[in-house]
C-alpha cells in the first residue's frame, strides 16, 4: 500500500514486487496522472484511491476493529478481500473496502509535516514501512521517535538511553536509511527509511 502516491512513480517502480497495491492520493489531478502512468507502464495490480490519507486510515482502522470484534459481515469481508472500489471519485475513504491484513508493506511519502496521527497509527500496524521524506528533521524524525524525543535529539540534549520513544520506534526498528541530494546548493534533502516490525 502506498500513501501520498502523487503521480505513481514509486508505485510504478515497486508494483511488480507485490501481488496487489493500493495507492492513496489527495489530489484528483495526481490520481489521474498516476492512473495514466500505471497504464503506460503496464501495471495492472494497483488501485488508485482519491481520498485524504487520514480518512482512508480511519476507515481501515474502523473495519479492522469491527473485524476483531466479529461485527463485519460476509459481504464486507468479500469486498475487502478483493479490494472492491476503484476510488475513481473523490471520497472520504470510508467507503474503500481494503483489508489492512491483506497488506504487509506500506510506502508513505507525506508532506514536510509528516503523517497525521491516524495515518501514523495505521502505518505502525504494517510489518514493513518505507518512509520517503523531504524533511527528515521534522516529519520523519517526529513520526519515527515521537515529538518529544525528536526535540531532545534535535537540540542535542540527548545523553545515554532515552526511554520516551513513541511513533514507529515503539514497534519498529530502523533497518536502512539513505540520503539523496536532489536539491543541490539548498538545505533540502530527500531521504528514505526502511522500518521493520520487531518480532
Amino acid at each position: 500500500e502506498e500513501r501520498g502516491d502523487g503521480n505513481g512513480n514509486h508505485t510504478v517502480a515497486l508494483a511488480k514486487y507485490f501481488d496487489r497495491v493500493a495507492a492513496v492520493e489527495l489530489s484528483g489531478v495526481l490520481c489521474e496522472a498516476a492512473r495514466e502512468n500505471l497504464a503506460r507502464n503496464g501495471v495492472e495490480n494497483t488501485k488508485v484511491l482519491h481520498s485524504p490519507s487520514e480518512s482512508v486510515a480511519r476507515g481501515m482502522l474502523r473495519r479492522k476493529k469491527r473485524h476483531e470484534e466479529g461485527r463485519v459481515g460476509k459481504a464486507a469481508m468479500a469486498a475487502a478481500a478483493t479490494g472492491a472500489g476503484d476510488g475513481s471519485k473523490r471520497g472520504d475513504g470510508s467507503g474503500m473496502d481494503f483489508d489492512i491484513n491483506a497488506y504487509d508493506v506500506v510506502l508513505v511519502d507525506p508532506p514536510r509535516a509528516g503523517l497525521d496521527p491516524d495515518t501514523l497509527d495505521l502505518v505502525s500496524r504494517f510489518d514493513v514501512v518505507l518512509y520517503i521524506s523531504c524533511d527528515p528533521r521534522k516529519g520523519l524524525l517526529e513520526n519515527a521517535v515521537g515529538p518529544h524525543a525528536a526535540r531532545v535529539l534535535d537540540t542535542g540534549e540527548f545523553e545515554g538511553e532515552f526511554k520516551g520513544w513513541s511513533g514507529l520506534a515503539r514497534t519498529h526498528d530502523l533497518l536502512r536509511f539513505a540520503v539523496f541530494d536532489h536539491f543541490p546548493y539548498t538545505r533540502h534533502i530527500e531521504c528514505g527509511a526502511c522500518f521493520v516490525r520487531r518480532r
Side-chain angles (χ1 to χ4, degrees), residues 111-143:
R112 280 186 167 75
L115 299 171
D116 63 273
D118 289 325
T119 304
L120 181 59
D121 183 25
L122 176 69
V123 164
S124 71
R125 296 166 189 251
F126 287 85
D127 292 337
V128 178
V129 179
L130 304 173
Y131 196 119
I132 309 297
S133 177
C134 59
D135 189 352
R137 292 183 74 187
K138 173 74 174 147
L140 174 58
L141 188 58
E142 285 191 11
N143 286 161

Side-chain angles (χ1 to χ4, degrees), residues 169-185:
R170 287 176 310 155
T171 53
H172 291 70
D173 290 322
L174 178 63
L175 181 66
R176 298 214 189 287
F177 188 85
V179 176
F180 304 93
D181 188 10
H182 289 310
F183 313 101
Y185 309 110

Side-chain angles (χ1 to χ4, degrees), residues 53-159:
S53 181
E54 60 271 18
S55 296
V56 174
R58 280 193 299 269
M60 289 179 81
L61 291 169
R62 274 195 307 271
R63 276 187 294 285
K64 180 169 179 60
K65 183 176 181 183
R66 283 195 306 263
H67 177 68
E68 289 169 350
E69 294 173 351
R71 294 188 294 133
V72 176
K74 290 181 183 176
M77 289 310 294
T82 61
D86 67 0
S88 59
K89 292 192 170 128
R90 168 95 192 256
D92 65 359
S94 61
M96 304 318 305
D97 290 317
F98 284 96
D99 180 6
I100 187 175
N101 297 315
Y103 302 93
D104 52 5
V105 176
V106 63
L107 184 148
V108 291
D109 188 356
R112 280 186 167 75
L115 299 171
D116 63 273
D118 289 325
T119 304
L120 181 59
D121 183 25
L122 176 69
V123 164
S124 71
R125 296 166 189 251
F126 287 85
D127 292 337
V128 178
V129 179
L130 304 173
Y131 196 119
I132 309 297
S133 177
C134 59
D135 189 352
R137 292 183 74 187
K138 173 74 174 147
L140 174 58
L141 188 58
E142 285 191 11
N143 286 161
V145 299
H148 176 68
R151 280 191 298 280
V152 169
L153 291 170
D154 197 38
T155 60
E157 298 171 10
F158 178 74
E159 288 185 22

